Amino acid sequence: MGILRRAAEGGAEGGMKGSHASRLPPPLYSKMATVDYDSSADPEMDLTSDEELEREAEGFKEQGNAYYVKKDYAEAFNFYTKAIDLCPKNVSYYGNRAATLMMLSRYREALEDSQQAVRLDDTFMKGHMREGKCHLLLGNAMAASRCFQKILELETDNSQAQQELKNAESILEFERLAEISFEKRDFRMVVFCMDRALESASACHRFKVLKAECLALLGRYPEAQSVASDILRMDSTNGDALYVRGLCLYYEDCIDKAVQFFIQALRMAPDHEKARLACRNAKALKAKKEEGNKAFKEGSFEEAYDLYSEALTIDPNNIKTNAKLYCNRATVGSKLNKLEQAIEDCTKAIKLDETYIKAYLRRAQCYMDTELYEEAVRDYEKVYQTEKTKEHKNLLKNAQLELKKSKRKDYYKVLGVDKNATEDEIKKAYRKRALMHHPDRHSGASAEVQKEEEKKFKEVGEAFTVLSDPKKKSRYDSGHDLEDDDMNMDFDANNIFKAFFGGPGGFSFEGNSSSGPGNFFFQFG
């Protein structure tokens, strides 16, 4: 405010000279209404009348000066206006009122008064200074520079004009950098440049709107809304500020409200191309998303997948809506058994919105479906840390259990059956695998192959022992460690084989009981 006060100080050109002069009594001939006399033709009366007006105007000016000193700028403005009404060609009155308007932050009106003052007297340096300062505060650095240069022509060593000229040049440089940065989509740099420019151009709505737009593009919606709302409080018809309000709502996925603001912005500024494009994108995005949702509900998953993909091409800047679209497409992808693509879509959604719980849950389920249990546990832990609900706790416990189970031998895989296999399917699978891996069948193979087949034959026996026993199978499916449950897991692979295929007349591959490969005794685990 220091520079502003220097520009506005001396609000009373001519200073404070005590009480204003008393008014002269009306001339005697003013009472001679009955006399047939053309008073307007009397030059002495015109001169007296002008002097009276000047004295009265000077009195108003001095009253304005008194209020200005008391910082009652509203009253000072009223008296300076009265002075101007009486003497509309007095330079100092416009200068004083301009200074007062600056103190009231009414810079556009102050600019008009300053310009009128220098039109009346081109050598009025305070007028040029105030005009330049108003231009600068309103963000017109080029016009401000011309004013300060004019002062330096009149007074080459004017330090204030020199400093203000540097400020104007700085603003021009920040404008240039901001324009380049915006083209490069470096919105953080634009915000930085506008913050620096606004230090000298604090009343520039154009800089504030550009800053607010970039804050919105950075996802800093509350800050952007605050800046735009401040502008609208001062100027409710500002199309740019209305556009930014709509942009924030649009990026927060409040599309219907956003469209209303875009339409209002276009009413205020029919040629506002950004508002027109944003309005069109908002309507298209909403329509395409709703088409995708409808197709999904109707079970047309391929169509829904394509519609969500089309919606994702409409506006890459709409982070929140695109995050939802990626998650929706992931849901459809999982229905179509495109699990890897579904996981990728969830990851993209999370990258756009790290707080998007639904995307974490969808990805975790896809990890479970692809048996990537460690990744599933990690996602469920993230969800449970954010929202400690009973449902999320159960999902996490289930994933942890599946992870624990995955680290043991998978007896279902050993037998080559599904986890929901029936008793008959388990028996058929054992019959097939036991015959396939029985060591006697591979007695002519190399020692290495024999060893590998012996190992597989043992695992087939283990698997059948567990999965053919309802109690053991139940404990195994529940994730319990069977050894910890004191269950007898010692068995003879040949006995299991013989018991399954029957005695004499069945399959028998007995060899030398002491050294041949036909007899195996092993312990579970």
Side-chain angles (χ1 to χ4, degrees), residues 275-317:
R276 191 181 308 282
L277 177 62
C279 190
R280 185 165 64 244
N281 283 347
K283 290 178 178 178
L285 197 56
K286 181 187 177 187
K288 195 65 70 175
K289 182 182 175 187
E290 287 177 350
E291 285 178 45
N293 293 347
K294 183 173 180 287
F296 178 79
K297 288 176 183 176
E298 292 173 353
S300 303
F301 300 132
E302 288 285 1
E303 183 185 355
Y305 192 92
D306 291 340
L307 288 165
Y308 289 138
S309 298
E310 289 173 28
L312 282 163
T313 66
I314 293 173
D315 186 0
N317 292 322

Side-chain angles (χ1 to χ4, degrees), residues 305-441:
Y305 192 92
D306 291 340
L307 288 165
Y308 289 138
S309 298
E310 289 173 28
L312 282 163
T313 66
I314 293 173
D315 186 0
N317 292 322
N318 196 321
I319 292 171
K320 278 204 171 182
T321 302
N322 287 343
K324 291 180 180 180
L325 287 169
Y326 275 121
C327 192
N328 286 1
R329 194 170 74 173
T331 302
V332 178
S334 65
K335 294 284 186 183
L336 295 169
N337 205 31
K338 299 178 179 179
L339 294 175
E340 288 185 8
Q341 288 173 266
I343 289 171
E344 187 179 336
D345 278 347
C346 288
T347 301
K348 288 177 180 177
I350 290 166
K351 188 175 180 181
L352 292 175
D353 183 1
E354 292 182 354
T355 66
Y356 195 10
I357 295 297
K358 190 175 178 180
Y360 283 105
L361 289 169
R362 171 58 54 196
R363 186 171 70 175
Q365 184 57 56
C366 290
Y367 281 141
M368 292 290 286
D369 293 340
T370 51
E371 299 184 2
L372 296 171
Y373 300 120
E374 288 188 10
E375 289 84 349
V377 167
R378 189 163 57 244
D379 276 355
Y380 283 132
E381 283 177 341
K382 172 75 174 177
V383 170
Y384 186 62
Q385 286 169 5
T386 306
E387 294 182 0
K388 295 184 183 297
T389 67
K390 185 177 180 180
E391 180 188 358
H392 294 159
K393 184 177 182 180
N394 289 336
L395 288 169
L396 174 58
K397 286 178 69 176
N398 184 54
Q400 289 169 334
L401 176 60
E402 291 301 323
L403 175 60
K404 180 181 176 182
K405 287 160 65 175
S406 72
K407 294 180 184 291
R408 307 171 307 168
K409 286 180 182 176
D410 188 337
Y411 290 139
Y412 292 101
K413 280 187 177 179
V414 170
L415 293 181
V417 295
D418 185 77
K419 291 183 178 180
N420 298 315
T422 64
E423 185 179 348
D424 284 343
E425 288 171 335
I426 290 170
K427 285 180 178 178
K428 286 178 183 178
Y430 171 71
R431 179 187 183 89
K432 179 181 176 182
R433 297 295 173 112
L435 291 172
M436 183 187 301
H437 299 299
H438 196 289
D440 283 358
R441 185 182 288 275

Side-chain angles (χ1 to χ4, degrees), residues 98-113:
T100 302
L101 287 165
M102 290 178 75
M103 300 309 294
L104 291 168
S105 299
R106 292 160 62 179
Y107 302 116
R108 294 191 185 281
E109 296 168 80
L111 176 62
E112 291 174 9
D113 275 0

Side-chain angles (χ1 to χ4, degrees), residues 6-174:
R6 286 200 299 277
E9 73 180 351
E13 254 84 49
M16 296 292 295
K17 298 180 181 178
S19 60
H20 60 79
S22 59
R23 300 177 188 175
L24 292 173
L28 292 174
Y29 52 73
S30 67
K31 298 178 182 180
M32 300 170 62
T34 58
V35 178
D36 185 13
Y37 180 74
D38 185 4
S39 61
S40 63
D42 190 339
E44 184 180 349
M45 181 178 178
D46 286 347
L47 179 62
T48 304
S49 179
D50 287 345
E51 288 175 353
E52 271 193 12
L53 290 174
E54 287 174 7
R55 281 196 296 271
E56 189 172 2
E58 194 65 18
F60 287 140
K61 185 196 83 169
E62 292 193 12
Q63 284 181 276
N65 290 349
Y67 282 113
Y68 187 96
V69 170
K70 294 175 183 177
K71 299 183 180 180
D72 187 345
Y73 302 117
E75 276 302 307
F77 169 81
N78 291 335
F79 280 102
Y80 291 142
T81 299
K82 289 178 181 180
I84 289 170
D85 289 343
L86 294 175
C87 295
K89 293 188 178 180
N90 188 299
V91 173
S92 68
Y93 298 168
Y94 287 104
N96 285 6
R97 192 168 73 173
T100 302
L101 287 165
M102 290 178 75
M103 300 309 294
L104 291 168
S105 299
R106 292 160 62 179
Y107 302 116
R108 294 191 185 281
E109 296 168 80
L111 176 62
E112 291 174 9
D113 275 0
S114 299
Q115 289 172 327
Q116 178 62 17
V118 297
R119 276 195 290 269
L120 293 169
D121 181 359
D122 191 45
T123 64
F124 183 40
M125 285 204 297
K126 283 188 176 181
H128 286 298
M129 179 63 73
R130 287 170 187 148
E131 181 188 358
K133 187 62 181 170
C134 286
H135 277 310
L136 202 62
L137 285 161
L138 293 167
N140 192 346
M142 288 289 288
S145 296
R146 289 194 290 271
C147 295
F148 301 136
Q149 286 166 349
K150 176 67 177 178
I151 294 171
L152 292 172
E153 288 174 12
L154 297 170
E155 187 180 304
T156 56
D157 60 347
N158 189 304
S159 59
Q160 187 180 357
Q162 290 170 349
Q163 182 57 51
E164 295 295 356
L165 185 59
K166 288 180 182 178
N167 291 341
E169 290 168 351
S170 294
I171 288 176
L172 289 171
E173 179 61 16
F174 284 127

Side-chain angles (χ1 to χ4, degrees), residues 193-205 207-208 211:
C193 290
M194 290 301 94
D195 279 338
R196 299 291 80 74
L198 285 164
E199 289 174 1
S200 297
S202 59
C204 180
H205 289 177
F207 293 168
K208 290 178 181 179
K211 174 185 174 180

